[in-house]
Amino acid sequence: QITLKESGPTLVKPTQTLTLTCTFSGFSISTVGVAVGWIRQPPGKALEWLALIYWDNDKRYRPSLDSRLTITKDTSKNQVVLTMANMDPVDTATYYCALDSDSIFAYWGQGTLVTVSS
Amino acid sequence: EIVLTQSPDFQSVTPKERITITCRASQGIATSLHWFQQKPGQSPKLLIKDASQSFSGVPSRFSGSGSGTDFTLTIDSLEAEDAATYYCHQSHALPRTFGQGTKVEIK
């Protein structure tokens, strides 16, 4: 059974750095073709892809957020971590991690709502 | 960036009705188009992958078609539990993009 779960702060202040952890089970990020991605969704709005990290440690970011995002993986802990610097109120959203297998977001975590406010 | 445009934005339908949602890509994406269903307060669930392949466990009333720039999600004999927002998503090129969503309401 494949599961993913996001964890991190629910409230961050403007200019702070957000750190989110995706803890997963039921698959290995060392398997060829596997990746874990992060997607966010502002309240009442559409989905927006943020970043991907592949089994071979290749990393890809949304171009408009490239300078603010960092994605890493810890294979031994079955975790992927996303950091986003210089948070702003417009970054308020539910953040999801998802298993990307053969370029398909097949399984998603439950999401975690992050509010940016002073 | 590949822009995905869905239509309609909103649809109100009665149970057992058949509905069609379209997704148009701003450039050709072969069949790298996937459909998700998102119910309020829940994470998106994969329905259709690679334009027309049903994902495991998805009811057979959901089907997809298309290639290139034009794609369709069809729900036959709509049920009350199908009330949700539906999103298309392309994995043909980075950055990965999603459509704006189509909200389906059951009358």
PDB file of all heavy atoms in Angstrom, chain A residues 50-73:
ATOM      1  N   LEU A  50       5.296  22.501  -8.168  1.00  0.00           N
ATOM      2  CA  LEU A  50       6.432  23.242  -7.620  1.00  0.00           C
ATOM      3  C   LEU A  50       7.786  22.605  -7.928  1.00  0.00           C
ATOM      4  O   LEU A  50       8.719  23.291  -8.362  1.00  0.00           O
ATOM      5  CB  LEU A  50       6.298  23.342  -6.093  1.00  0.00           C
ATOM      6  CG  LEU A  50       5.081  24.081  -5.553  1.00  0.00           C
ATOM      7  CD1 LEU A  50       5.060  23.999  -4.033  1.00  0.00           C
ATOM      8  CD2 LEU A  50       5.055  25.518  -6.039  1.00  0.00           C
ATOM      9  N   ALA A  51       7.927  21.318  -7.646  1.00  0.00           N
ATOM     10  CA  ALA A  51       9.247  20.700  -7.757  1.00  0.00           C
ATOM     11  C   ALA A  51       9.129  19.186  -7.889  1.00  0.00           C
ATOM     12  O   ALA A  51       8.107  18.594  -7.524  1.00  0.00           O
ATOM     13  CB  ALA A  51      10.090  21.041  -6.524  1.00  0.00           C
ATOM     14  N   LEU A  52      10.206  18.588  -8.421  1.00  0.00           N
ATOM     15  CA  LEU A  52      10.325  17.139  -8.546  1.00  0.00           C
ATOM     16  C   LEU A  52      11.744  16.730  -8.189  1.00  0.00           C
ATOM     17  O   LEU A  52      12.695  17.432  -8.550  1.00  0.00           O
ATOM     18  CB  LEU A  52      10.054  16.687  -9.978  1.00  0.00           C
ATOM     19  CG  LEU A  52       8.624  16.447 -10.429  1.00  0.00           C
ATOM     20  CD1 LEU A  52       8.560  16.367 -11.948  1.00  0.00           C
ATOM     21  CD2 LEU A  52       8.067  15.191  -9.805  1.00  0.00           C
ATOM     22  N   ILE A  53      11.870  15.586  -7.527  1.00  0.00           N
ATOM     23  CA  ILE A  53      13.178  14.979  -7.326  1.00  0.00           C
ATOM     24  C   ILE A  53      13.086  13.529  -7.773  1.00  0.00           C
ATOM     25  O   ILE A  53      12.158  12.797  -7.411  1.00  0.00           O
ATOM     26  CB  ILE A  53      13.667  15.095  -5.864  1.00  0.00           C
ATOM     27  CG1 ILE A  53      15.107  14.605  -5.744  1.00  0.00           C
ATOM     28  CG2 ILE A  53      12.743  14.379  -4.888  1.00  0.00           C
ATOM     29  CD1 ILE A  53      15.794  15.036  -4.450  1.00  0.00           C
ATOM     30  N   TYR A  54      14.052  13.124  -8.615  1.00  0.00           N
ATOM     31  CA  TYR A  54      14.022  11.807  -9.243  1.00  0.00           C
ATOM     32  C   TYR A  54      14.917  10.815  -8.490  1.00  0.00           C
ATOM     33  O   TYR A  54      15.768  11.205  -7.677  1.00  0.00           O
ATOM     34  CB  TYR A  54      14.476  11.925 -10.696  1.00  0.00           C
ATOM     35  CG  TYR A  54      13.531  12.724 -11.561  1.00  0.00           C
ATOM     36  CD1 TYR A  54      13.638  14.108 -11.643  1.00  0.00           C
ATOM     37  CD2 TYR A  54      12.511  12.093 -12.280  1.00  0.00           C
ATOM     38  CE1 TYR A  54      12.770  14.845 -12.437  1.00  0.00           C
ATOM     39  CE2 TYR A  54      11.643  12.827 -13.082  1.00  0.00           C
ATOM     40  CZ  TYR A  54      11.777  14.199 -13.146  1.00  0.00           C
ATOM     41  OH  TYR A  54      10.916  14.933 -13.931  1.00  0.00           O
ATOM     42  N   TRP A  55      14.743   9.549  -8.848  1.00  0.00           N
ATOM     43  CA  TRP A  55      15.489   8.465  -8.222  1.00  0.00           C
ATOM     44  C   TRP A  55      17.007   8.680  -8.331  1.00  0.00           C
ATOM     45  O   TRP A  55      17.751   8.263  -7.448  1.00  0.00           O
ATOM     46  CB  TRP A  55      15.104   7.140  -8.872  1.00  0.00           C
ATOM     47  CG  TRP A  55      15.801   6.854 -10.172  1.00  0.00           C
ATOM     48  CD1 TRP A  55      16.919   6.092 -10.366  1.00  0.00           C
ATOM     49  CD2 TRP A  55      15.455   7.368 -11.461  1.00  0.00           C
ATOM     50  NE1 TRP A  55      17.273   6.090 -11.692  1.00  0.00           N
ATOM     51  CE2 TRP A  55      16.383   6.877 -12.396  1.00  0.00           C
ATOM     52  CE3 TRP A  55      14.422   8.206 -11.936  1.00  0.00           C
ATOM     53  CZ2 TRP A  55      16.327   7.175 -13.753  1.00  0.00           C
ATOM     54  CZ3 TRP A  55      14.369   8.500 -13.285  1.00  0.00           C
ATOM     55  CH2 TRP A  55      15.312   7.996 -14.164  1.00  0.00           C
ATOM     56  N   ASP A  56      17.449   9.355  -9.407  1.00  0.00           N
ATOM     57  CA  ASP A  56      18.882   9.562  -9.616  1.00  0.00           C
ATOM     58  C   ASP A  56      19.344  10.904  -9.054  1.00  0.00           C
ATOM     59  O   ASP A  56      20.448  11.357  -9.354  1.00  0.00           O
ATOM     60  CB  ASP A  56      19.210   9.473 -11.109  1.00  0.00           C
ATOM     61  CG  ASP A  56      18.465  10.525 -11.921  1.00  0.00           C
ATOM     62  OD1 ASP A  56      17.654  11.270 -11.339  1.00  0.00           O
ATOM     63  OD2 ASP A  56      18.679  10.586 -13.137  1.00  0.00           O
ATOM     64  N   ASN A  57      18.492  11.545  -8.247  1.00  0.00           N
ATOM     65  CA  ASN A  57      18.767  12.827  -7.586  1.00  0.00           C
ATOM     66  C   ASN A  57      18.691  14.026  -8.530  1.00  0.00           C
ATOM     67  O   ASN A  57      19.073  15.134  -8.147  1.00  0.00           O
ATOM     68  CB  ASN A  57      20.111  12.827  -6.861  1.00  0.00           C
ATOM     69  CG  ASN A  57      20.090  13.747  -5.637  1.00  0.00           C
ATOM     70  OD1 ASN A  57      19.085  13.841  -4.937  1.00  0.00           O
ATOM     71  ND2 ASN A  57      21.196  14.433  -5.393  1.00  0.00           N
ATOM     72  N   ASP A  58      18.209  13.811  -9.749  1.00  0.00           N
ATOM     73  CA  ASP A  58      17.927  14.946 -10.617  1.00  0.00           C
ATOM     74  C   ASP A  58      16.803  15.759  -9.966  1.00  0.00           C
ATOM     75  O   ASP A  58      15.868  15.185  -9.408  1.00  0.00           O
ATOM     76  CB  ASP A  58      17.507  14.458 -11.994  1.00  0.00           C
ATOM     77  CG  ASP A  58      17.371  15.586 -13.002  1.00  0.00           C
ATOM     78  OD1 ASP A  58      17.935  16.672 -12.765  1.00  0.00           O
ATOM     79  OD2 ASP A  58      16.688  15.378 -14.026  1.00  0.00           O
ATOM     80  N   LYS A  59      16.914  17.083 -10.078  1.00  0.00           N
ATOM     81  CA  LYS A  59      15.928  17.960  -9.427  1.00  0.00           C
ATOM     82  C   LYS A  59      15.417  18.966 -10.437  1.00  0.00           C
ATOM     83  O   LYS A  59      16.191  19.521 -11.231  1.00  0.00           O
ATOM     84  CB  LYS A  59      16.568  18.690  -8.247  1.00  0.00           C
ATOM     85  CG  LYS A  59      17.146  17.743  -7.216  1.00  0.00           C
ATOM     86  CD  LYS A  59      18.014  18.466  -6.209  1.00  0.00           C
ATOM     87  CE  LYS A  59      18.705  17.449  -5.288  1.00  0.00           C
ATOM     88  NZ  LYS A  59      19.581  18.112  -4.296  1.00  0.00           N
ATOM     89  N   ARG A  60      14.114  19.211 -10.403  1.00  0.00           N
ATOM     90  CA  ARG A  60      13.511  20.176 -11.301  1.00  0.00           C
ATOM     91  C   ARG A  60      12.578  21.078 -10.508  1.00  0.00           C
ATOM     92  O   ARG A  60      11.884  20.607  -9.612  1.00  0.00           O
ATOM     93  CB  ARG A  60      12.721  19.468 -12.408  1.00  0.00           C
ATOM     94  CG  ARG A  60      13.561  18.500 -13.221  1.00  0.00           C
ATOM     95  CD  ARG A  60      14.639  19.218 -13.984  1.00  0.00           C
ATOM     96  NE  ARG A  60      15.592  18.312 -14.603  1.00  0.00           N
ATOM     97  CZ  ARG A  60      15.963  18.364 -15.865  1.00  0.00           C
ATOM     98  NH1 ARG A  60      15.467  19.314 -16.660  1.00  0.00           N
ATOM     99  NH2 ARG A  60      16.842  17.514 -16.337  1.00  0.00           N
ATOM    100  N   TYR A  61      12.558  22.362 -10.895  1.00  0.00           N
ATOM    101  CA  TYR A  61      11.765  23.346 -10.173  1.00  0.00           C
ATOM    102  C   TYR A  61      10.892  24.160 -11.113  1.00  0.00           C
ATOM    103  O   TYR A  61      11.214  24.350 -12.289  1.00  0.00           O
ATOM    104  CB  TYR A  61      12.682  24.306  -9.408  1.00  0.00           C
ATOM    105  CG  TYR A  61      13.568  23.640  -8.381  1.00  0.00           C
ATOM    106  CD1 TYR A  61      14.925  23.455  -8.627  1.00  0.00           C
ATOM    107  CD2 TYR A  61      13.047  23.212  -7.170  1.00  0.00           C
ATOM    108  CE1 TYR A  61      15.747  22.847  -7.687  1.00  0.00           C
ATOM    109  CE2 TYR A  61      13.860  22.612  -6.217  1.00  0.00           C
ATOM    110  CZ  TYR A  61      15.203  22.433  -6.485  1.00  0.00           C
ATOM    111  OH  TYR A  61      16.005  21.837  -5.540  1.00  0.00           O
ATOM    112  N   ARG A  62       9.806  24.700 -10.544  1.00  0.00           N
ATOM    113  CA  ARG A  62       8.992  25.641 -11.282  1.00  0.00           C
ATOM    114  C   ARG A  62       9.866  26.855 -11.573  1.00  0.00           C
ATOM    115  O   ARG A  62      10.438  27.442 -10.633  1.00  0.00           O
ATOM    116  CB  ARG A  62       7.769  26.026 -10.450  1.00  0.00           C
ATOM    117  CG  ARG A  62       6.802  26.925 -11.170  1.00  0.00           C
ATOM    118  CD  ARG A  62       5.553  27.203 -10.353  1.00  0.00           C
ATOM    119  NE  ARG A  62       4.523  27.794 -11.191  1.00  0.00           N
ATOM    120  CZ  ARG A  62       3.739  27.113 -11.987  1.00  0.00           C
ATOM    121  NH1 ARG A  62       3.824  25.794 -12.030  1.00  0.00           N
ATOM    122  NH2 ARG A  62       2.846  27.723 -12.736  1.00  0.00           N
ATOM    123  N   PRO A  63       9.982  27.260 -12.827  1.00  0.00           N
ATOM    124  CA  PRO A  63      10.915  28.348 -13.154  1.00  0.00           C
ATOM    125  C   PRO A  63      10.682  29.631 -12.365  1.00  0.00           C
ATOM    126  O   PRO A  63      11.642  30.262 -11.908  1.00  0.00           O
ATOM    127  CB  PRO A  63      10.680  28.563 -14.655  1.00  0.00           C
ATOM    128  CG  PRO A  63      10.249  27.220 -15.143  1.00  0.00           C
ATOM    129  CD  PRO A  63       9.406  26.660 -14.033  1.00  0.00           C
ATOM    130  N   SER A  64       9.421  30.005 -12.175  1.00  0.00           N
ATOM    131  CA  SER A  64       9.129  31.267 -11.492  1.00  0.00           C
ATOM    132  C   SER A  64       9.496  31.233 -10.010  1.00  0.00           C
ATOM    133  O   SER A  64       9.562  32.283  -9.372  1.00  0.00           O
ATOM    134  CB  SER A  64       7.654  31.621 -11.646  1.00  0.00           C
ATOM    135  OG  SER A  64       6.834  30.599 -11.104  1.00  0.00           O
ATOM    136  N   LEU A  65       9.706  30.030  -9.455  1.00  0.00           N
ATOM    137  CA  LEU A  65      10.037  29.892  -8.039  1.00  0.00           C
ATOM    138  C   LEU A  65      11.412  29.262  -7.826  1.00  0.00           C
ATOM    139  O   LEU A  65      11.796  28.976  -6.685  1.00  0.00           O
ATOM    140  CB  LEU A  65       8.974  29.043  -7.321  1.00  0.00           C
ATOM    141  CG  LEU A  65       7.557  29.622  -7.299  1.00  0.00           C
ATOM    142  CD1 LEU A  65       6.583  28.600  -6.737  1.00  0.00           C
ATOM    143  CD2 LEU A  65       7.525  30.904  -6.470  1.00  0.00           C
ATOM    144  N   ASP A  66      12.135  29.072  -8.908  1.00  0.00           N
ATOM    145  CA  ASP A  66      13.400  28.336  -8.857  1.00  0.00           C
ATOM    146  C   ASP A  66      14.361  28.868  -7.799  1.00  0.00           C
ATOM    147  O   ASP A  66      15.005  28.095  -7.094  1.00  0.00           O
ATOM    148  CB  ASP A  66      14.053  28.394 -10.244  1.00  0.00           C
ATOM    149  CG  ASP A  66      15.322  27.579 -10.310  1.00  0.00           C
ATOM    150  OD1 ASP A  66      16.369  28.081  -9.863  1.00  0.00           O
ATOM    151  OD2 ASP A  66      15.274  26.434 -10.787  1.00  0.00           O
ATOM    152  N   SER A  67      14.448  30.179  -7.678  1.00  0.00           N
ATOM    153  CA  SER A  67      15.426  30.761  -6.748  1.00  0.00           C
ATOM    154  C   SER A  67      15.030  30.559  -5.292  1.00  0.00           C
ATOM    155  O   SER A  67      15.867  30.744  -4.393  1.00  0.00           O
ATOM    156  CB  SER A  67      15.603  32.257  -7.032  1.00  0.00           C
ATOM    157  OG  SER A  67      14.379  32.941  -6.811  1.00  0.00           O
ATOM    158  N   ARG A  68      13.784  30.200  -5.041  1.00  0.00           N
ATOM    159  CA  ARG A  68      13.300  30.080  -3.662  1.00  0.00           C
ATOM    160  C   ARG A  68      13.160  28.634  -3.193  1.00  0.00           C
ATOM    161  O   ARG A  68      12.993  28.393  -2.000  1.00  0.00           O
ATOM    162  CB  ARG A  68      11.942  30.771  -3.539  1.00  0.00           C
ATOM    163  CG  ARG A  68      11.950  32.258  -3.840  1.00  0.00           C
ATOM    164  CD  ARG A  68      10.530  32.814  -3.820  1.00  0.00           C
ATOM    165  NE  ARG A  68       9.862  32.493  -2.573  1.00  0.00           N
ATOM    166  CZ  ARG A  68       8.539  32.449  -2.412  1.00  0.00           C
ATOM    167  NH1 ARG A  68       7.745  32.722  -3.435  1.00  0.00           N
ATOM    168  NH2 ARG A  68       8.017  32.150  -1.238  1.00  0.00           N
ATOM    169  N   LEU A  69      13.208  27.686  -4.120  1.00  0.00           N
ATOM    170  CA  LEU A  69      12.911  26.291  -3.778  1.00  0.00           C
ATOM    171  C   LEU A  69      14.162  25.434  -3.711  1.00  0.00           C
ATOM    172  O   LEU A  69      15.099  25.610  -4.501  1.00  0.00           O
ATOM    173  CB  LEU A  69      11.967  25.697  -4.827  1.00  0.00           C
ATOM    174  CG  LEU A  69      10.555  26.267  -4.908  1.00  0.00           C
ATOM    175  CD1 LEU A  69       9.825  25.691  -6.120  1.00  0.00           C
ATOM    176  CD2 LEU A  69       9.784  25.997  -3.628  1.00  0.00           C
ATOM    177  N   THR A  70      14.131  24.475  -2.765  1.00  0.00           N
ATOM    178  CA  THR A  70      15.154  23.441  -2.692  1.00  0.00           C
ATOM    179  C   THR A  70      14.460  22.137  -2.335  1.00  0.00           C
ATOM    180  O   THR A  70      13.665  22.095  -1.389  1.00  0.00           O
ATOM    181  CB  THR A  70      16.220  23.746  -1.638  1.00  0.00           C
ATOM    182  OG1 THR A  70      16.818  25.017  -1.910  1.00  0.00           O
ATOM    183  CG2 THR A  70      17.301  22.671  -1.633  1.00  0.00           C
ATOM    184  N   ILE A  71      14.731  21.091  -3.097  1.00  0.00           N
ATOM    185  CA  ILE A  71      14.156  19.783  -2.813  1.00  0.00           C
ATOM    186  C   ILE A  71      15.295  18.792  -2.586  1.00  0.00           C
ATOM    187  O   ILE A  71      16.291  18.806  -3.308  1.00  0.00           O
ATOM    188  CB  ILE A  71      13.215  19.321  -3.954  1.00  0.00           C
ATOM    189  CG1 ILE A  71      12.420  18.080  -3.545  1.00  0.00           C
ATOM    190  CG2 ILE A  71      13.977  19.103  -5.253  1.00  0.00           C
ATOM    191  CD1 ILE A  71      11.280  17.727  -4.524  1.00  0.00           C
ATOM    192  N   THR A  72      15.159  17.975  -1.550  1.00  0.00           N
ATOM    193  CA  THR A  72      16.165  16.960  -1.234  1.00  0.00           C
ATOM    194  C   THR A  72      15.464  15.670  -0.839  1.00  0.00           C
ATOM    195  O   THR A  72      14.264  15.672  -0.541  1.00  0.00           O
ATOM    196  CB  THR A  72      17.069  17.399  -0.069  1.00  0.00           C
ATOM    197  OG1 THR A  72      16.247  17.639   1.086  1.00  0.00           O
ATOM    198  CG2 THR A  72      17.841  18.658  -0.404  1.00  0.00           C
ATOM    199  N   LYS A  73      16.223  14.575  -0.843  1.00  0.00           N
ATOM    200  CA  LYS A  73      15.655  13.303  -0.419  1.00  0.00           C
ATOM    201  C   LYS A  73      16.571  12.596   0.547  1.00  0.00           C
ATOM    202  O   LYS A  73      17.791  12.771   0.496  1.00  0.00           O
ATOM    203  CB  LYS A  73      15.346  12.416  -1.634  1.00  0.00           C
ATOM    204  CG  LYS A  73      16.564  11.993  -2.464  1.00  0.00           C
ATOM    205  CD  LYS A  73      16.098  11.149  -3.645  1.00  0.00           C
ATOM    206  CE  LYS A  73      17.234  10.821  -4.615  1.00  0.00           C
ATOM    207  NZ  LYS A  73      18.189   9.870  -4.069  1.00  0.00           N
TER     208      LYS A  73
END
